[in-house]
Amino acid sequence: MQNQMTESTKRKLAEYIGNAYMRSRKRMDVMLNTGGVEENPRQYHTDADLVYLVDRALQDCSKDTRKIIRNEYLQKADAYWYEEFYSRSTYYRLKRYAVNEFLKSLDI
């Protein structure tokens, strides 16, 4: 399926997954700290499953892919975080590769 998607669609999909991941992490944190797990265990476990799936998929990816996906899609990082690690052209090349590797690891 990945071969049928444009690069823009792949980036949007990675962004969507990242947003869902961040919402799930936040909800899990709030539920753990307010006792909400007992009130809604199904929601907590659904969120935990998503977080585990994304984290597990990243374990199968290269070091650069993990760094790029985490900073671009799974955390709120500075827009120019990559300048410490990569030149601009290298970063954009690696970002395209990272999105492809991440989605492939998720079997999308």
Side-chain angles (χ1 to χ4, degrees):
M1 177 174 164
Q2 200 181 110
N3 293 334
Q4 299 169 347
M5 287 190 269
T6 65
E7 292 301 316
S8 174
T9 301
K10 291 175 186 179
R11 282 192 310 275
K12 287 177 185 174
L13 181 55
E15 188 174 328
Y16 178 81
I17 292 167
N19 288 334
Y21 177 89
M22 287 187 292
R23 280 192 311 271
S24 291
R25 293 278 313 240
K26 181 178 181 180
R27 211 171 14 242
M28 287 172 61
D29 185 45
V30 169
M31 291 176 102
L32 281 172
N33 289 303
T34 62
V37 176
E38 293 81 21
E39 293 176 22
N40 197 350
R42 175 180 258 157
Q43 180 66 55
Y44 180 82
H45 292 296
T46 299
D47 289 336
D49 288 345
L50 174 68
V51 169
Y52 172 79
L53 178 67
V54 171
D55 288 340
R56 181 62 188 92
L58 278 177
Q59 288 177 11
D60 293 336
C61 295
S62 69
K63 181 180 172 185
D64 285 326
T65 292
R66 287 192 301 268
K67 186 182 299 184
I68 290 169
I69 296 298
R70 286 221 180 272
N71 284 293
E72 283 296 317
Y73 301 109
L74 305 181
Q75 301 171 350
K76 293 294 182 193
D78 173 49
Y80 300 102
W81 67 269
Y82 61 87
E83 290 178 342
E84 184 178 335
F85 305 100
Y86 312 107
S87 69
R88 181 174 287 181
S89 61
T90 298
Y91 165 71
Y92 284 111
R93 180 177 44 80
L94 288 174
K95 182 178 175 183
R96 187 172 40 254
Y97 176 81
V99 168
N100 285 318
E101 185 180 17
F102 177 58
L103 294 178
K104 184 176 180 181
S105 182
L106 285 170
D107 201 25
I108 295 177

